[in-house]
């Protein structure tokens, strides 16, 4: 799914990511829950929390990172559907504002390639990327980006110890 948010520093207009699962996993409820993924797309390093609700809605929080500095963030909400191994999303709001645009701008399709209670892998049909998502708790904070001991916001730093926040700014 293409994530749309305004970057505070980087000139990236869209970020793509979502989660998918097989029909069997959907029956078992494996699609629902909170998931985390991190990777590169379109030259931008992104971190994503995706919270898939059992009512077919989702909340996606995305953070863009350059080096160890946060360069943008956004929250997308919408609806998801699953048919066989095709997982589709439709964005409804970005940072609380209605999403407008063409069908292609608001809808995304992924193919589920793996799903179990702790992992979901999905292939993004638009970008040819495969995202590996891991199950996380409802209160898990964004971890430090790969290769960083913390994350910096302008002149302030939030420090992490073993993935847990121990200093809040």
């Amino acid at each position: 799914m293409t994530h749309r948010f305004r970057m505070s520093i980087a000139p990236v207009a869209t970020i793509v990511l979502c989660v998918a699962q097989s029909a069997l996993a959907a029956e078992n409820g494996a699609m629902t829950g909170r998931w985390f993924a991190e990777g590169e797309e379109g030259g931008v390093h992104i971190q994503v929390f995706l919270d898939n609700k059992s009512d077919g809605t989702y909340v996606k929080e995305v953070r863009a990172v350059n080096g160890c500095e946060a360069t943008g963030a956004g929250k997308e909400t919408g609806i998801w559907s699953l048919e066989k191994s095709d997982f589709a999303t439709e964005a409804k709001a970005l940072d609380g504002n209605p999403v407008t645009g063409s069908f292609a701008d608001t809808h995304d399709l992924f193919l589920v390639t793996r799903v179990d209670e702790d992992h979901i892998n999905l292939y993004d049909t638009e970008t040819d990327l495969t995202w590996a998502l891991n199950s996380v708790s409802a209160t898990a904070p964004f971890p430090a980006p790969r290769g960083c001991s913390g994350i910096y916001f302008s002149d302030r730093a939030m420090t992490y110890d073993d993935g847990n926040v121990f200093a809040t700014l």
Side-chain angles (χ1 to χ4, degrees):
M1 175 172 79
T2 303
H3 177 77
R4 299 146 195 92
F5 69 97
R6 293 176 294 268
M7 302 293 292
S8 62
I9 297 174
V12 177
T14 61
I15 301 293
V16 177
L17 184 70
C18 200
V19 174
Q21 69 173 15
S22 68
L24 176 61
E27 292 171 6
N28 294 337
M31 183 61 183
T32 60
R34 192 163 184 244
W35 305 89
F36 175 77
E38 180 172 16
E40 299 283 330
E41 182 176 288
V44 177
H45 186 97
I46 60 173
Q47 295 181 307
V48 178
F49 282 118
L50 179 64
D51 192 356
N52 288 327
K53 312 286 186 184
S54 60
D55 66 358
T57 62
Y58 70 87
V59 176
K60 181 170 49 173
E61 297 175 74
V62 178
R63 177 168 76 178
V65 179
N66 183 9
C68 294
E69 183 176 346
T71 58
K75 181 184 276 188
E76 180 181 297
T77 57
I79 57 174
W80 61 270
S81 63
L82 181 68
E83 187 174 322
K84 298 182 182 179
S85 62
D86 292 341
F87 178 74
T89 62
E90 180 181 353
K92 295 292 189 179
L94 175 62
D95 296 328
N97 298 310
V99 173
T100 59
S102 70
F103 182 87
D105 291 336
T106 60
H107 293 74
D108 292 295
L109 177 65
F110 298 86
L111 301 177
V112 179
T113 60
R114 173 186 179 187
V115 65
D116 60 44
E117 66 184 30
D118 296 320
H119 307 93
I120 297 176
N121 288 3
L122 50 108
Y123 171 75
D124 186 327
T125 61
E126 182 180 339
T127 64
D128 284 337
L129 296 173
T130 297
W131 291 92
L133 293 98
N134 296 301
S135 179
V136 295
S137 75
T139 59
F142 275 110
R146 286 186 211 135
C148 301
S149 61
I151 183 77
Y152 299 87
F153 300 89
S154 300
D155 60 342
R156 303 177 304 157
M158 183 180 293
T159 310
Y160 294 80
D161 180 16
D162 295 326
N164 295 311
V165 175
F166 65 84
T168 304
L169 302 174

